[in-house]
């Protein structure tokens, strides 16, 4: 990407960290900024709310990696930590009619109606995990890691049940997903994790092909669109990769971030308990204020694109800066950094973009919202005195700059 001496690329730390202070500094430079990705690859990040909204639905922006200049020219190493985001076969790397075909084969399982039908199972699983959280706290002297014992197994359990994945695979799938999402993974480890994940999902798909069940993986294997097209083997595995990773990592971070926000803003928690706002409001404000995804890879301008006064050359890998857009004062006002569950969306705008916008809007948004809403309501009903067991400032940030959360959330789940 062409830059001037006054605007050198900002180097994104592969190890990650809390993004908000850095986002504020970058937003002061502009709504769009050049960035240096791992391996010295120059890209861009769209940080401003309105710029991101325009970018996510711009007709001259594509998702297919054939538009990625550095990849096409052979400048991306096999173990590049972001390679899976660029090359996995499926909805997230498809455009136009191909994207619509893939999305239509999956979308019926993720409609708001289908999500609501899952509510009883989500509630049942939530209650069992709250029991497990209490047991873990007893064993830990009154302290338990809410992320490990509650925020992770809920969405992982739901997506794996939907896909028909046996419980024995779940810890392994989460471990591999975490390595792939992390941007500080060493090249050899990234290659090994990707191969192992593909092998595991291939094993699951082969078992479903041989003995179909009443699950989404079996349905995807059998699904045809109106023209008789099916998912190719690569598209099937790519779709499973997408649903496993996006189906639990995002909601895991969302629940973790919401609990952390409420524990740090007891007045907002009291407001919800008093009926002044809903648990759904908590979810939406968390999505804005502490987005579960910070920088999501990739989109590519198919021709030179000027956005918010900044030139992004064709073929540049561009990150969607969801966490920055959520606290953009130009869109959300001078108090954008304040957690406020009563905050309304601006007239003619949207409250946040953290689940995407346009044709690639998150297919699993209804399910993520359901899981998070049920989880928060039941958690704080069961443990109204729940509090962080360590000061918030001592929590270790999530690895990498894609996901945004903390590695662990030790809490005291007091009744």
């Amino acid at each position: 990407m062409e830059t001037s001496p006054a605007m050198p690329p900002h180097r994104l730390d592969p190890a990650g960290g809390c993004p908000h202070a850095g986002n504020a500094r970058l937003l002061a430079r502009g709504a769009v900024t050049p960035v240096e990705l791992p391996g010295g690859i120059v890209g861009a990040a769209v940080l401003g709310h309105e710029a991101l909204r325009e970018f996510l639905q711009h007709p001259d922006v594509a998702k297919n990696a054939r538009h990625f200049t550095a990849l096409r020219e052979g400048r991306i190493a096999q173990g590049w930590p972001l390679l899976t985001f660029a090359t996995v076969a499926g909805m997230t790397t498809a455009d136009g009619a191909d994207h619509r075909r893939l999305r239509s084969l999956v979308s019926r399982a993720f409609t708001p109606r289908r999500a609501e039908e899952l509510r009883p199972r989500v509630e049942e699983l939530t209650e069992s995990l709250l029991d497990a959280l209490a047991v873990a706290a007893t064993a830990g002297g009154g302290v338990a890691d809410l992320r490990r014992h509650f925020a992770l197994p809920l969405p992982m359990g739901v997506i794996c049940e939907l896909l028909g994945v046996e419980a024995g695979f779940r810890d392994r799938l989460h471990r591999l997903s975490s390595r792939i999402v992390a941007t500080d993974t060493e090249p050899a480890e990234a290659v090994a994790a990707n191969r192992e994940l593909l092998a595991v999902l291939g094993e699951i798909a082969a078992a479903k092909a041989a003995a179909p069940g009443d699950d989404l993986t079996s349905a995807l294997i059998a699904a045809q669109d109106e023209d008789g097209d099916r998912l190719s083997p690569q598209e099937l595995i790519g779709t499973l990769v997408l649903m496993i990773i996006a189906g639990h990592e995002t909601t895991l971070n969302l629940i973790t971030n919401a609990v952390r926000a409420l524990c740090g803003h007891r007045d907002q928690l009291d407001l919800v308990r008093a009926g002044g706002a809903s648990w759904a409001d908590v979810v939406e404000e968390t999505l804005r204020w502490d987005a579960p995804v910070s920088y999501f890879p990739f989109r590519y301008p198919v021709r030179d694109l000027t956005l918010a006064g900044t030139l992004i050359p064709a073929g540049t890998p561009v990150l969607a800066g969801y966490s920055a857009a959520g606290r953009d004062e130009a869109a959300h006002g001078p108090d954008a950094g304040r957690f406020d569950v009563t905050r309304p969306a601006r007239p003619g705008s949207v409250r946040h973009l953290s689940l995407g916008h346009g044709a690639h809007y998150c297919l699993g948004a209804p399910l993520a919202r359901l899981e998070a809403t049920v989880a928060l309501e039941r958690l704080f009903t069961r443990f109204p005195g729940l509090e962080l067991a360590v000061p918030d400032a001592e929590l270790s940030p999530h690895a990498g700059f894609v996901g945004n959360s903390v590695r662990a959330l030790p809490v005291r789940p007091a009744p």
Side-chain angles (χ1 to χ4, degrees), residues 265-332:
H265 300 81
R266 307 301 296 198
D267 60 322
Q268 299 296 294
L269 178 57
D270 291 342
L271 184 64
V272 175
R273 285 174 168 156
S278 68
W279 293 107
D281 291 326
V282 174
V283 170
E284 297 309 309
E285 179 65 351
T286 303
L287 285 166
R288 181 200 71 83
W289 185 74
D290 204 13
V293 174
S294 193
Y295 291 101
F296 191 78
F298 286 117
R299 284 173 167 82
Y300 320 93
V302 299
R303 56 183 57 84
D304 290 356
L305 175 67
T306 298
L307 184 69
T310 299
L311 172 67
I312 310 176
T316 300
V318 183
L319 300 169
Y322 294 124
S323 62
R327 296 197 186 188
D328 179 9
E329 293 186 1
H332 304 292

Side-chain angles (χ1 to χ4, degrees), residues 124-256:
E124 179 184 14
L125 183 55
T126 298
E127 292 298 335
S128 70
L129 291 172
L130 291 173
D131 292 340
L133 182 66
V135 170
T138 299
V143 175
D145 180 3
L146 184 135
R147 185 174 173 89
R148 174 187 173 189
H149 293 288
F150 183 68
L152 167 59
L154 176 58
M156 178 58 94
V158 172
I159 194 62
C160 284
E161 286 186 13
L162 270 176
L163 293 171
V165 175
E166 296 179 2
F169 285 105
R170 294 175 190 177
D171 287 346
R172 189 177 177 193
L173 288 172
H174 173 64
R175 174 177 55 84
L176 294 170
S177 298
S178 297
R179 289 183 183 176
I180 288 171
V181 170
T183 50
D184 61 348
T185 306
E186 292 297 322
E189 185 182 3
V191 171
N194 189 65
R195 286 177 177 169
E196 185 178 350
L197 179 61
L198 296 181
V200 172
L201 294 176
E203 178 183 344
I204 292 168
K208 293 298 178 183
D214 183 19
D215 55 71
L216 183 53
T217 302
S218 299
L220 288 173
I221 292 170
Q224 300 182 51
D225 67 14
E226 58 188 18
D227 295 322
D229 288 334
R230 295 179 183 270
L231 292 172
S232 71
Q234 295 78 18
E235 289 170 342
L236 173 64
I237 298 302
T239 298
L240 294 179
V241 169
L242 167 65
M243 290 196 291
I244 287 290
I245 295 178
H248 88 278
E249 288 280 355
T250 302
T251 309
L252 160 61
N253 290 349
L254 172 58
I255 294 171
T256 302

Side-chain angles (χ1 to χ4, degrees), residues 39 41 65-66 68-78 80 83:
I41 301 299
R66 66 187 177 88
F68 187 175
T69 300
L71 182 64
R72 190 173 63 246
E73 294 178 350
R75 293 188 281 120
I76 301 297
Q78 184 182 16
W80 196 52
L83 189 59

Side-chain angles (χ1 to χ4, degrees), residues 104-121:
S104 69
L105 290 170
V106 181
S107 60
R108 66 198 69 178
F110 290 96
T111 63
R113 178 179 177 180
R114 175 60 178 143
E116 193 58 35
E117 290 172 352
L118 291 170
R119 179 180 290 274
R121 179 56 185 141

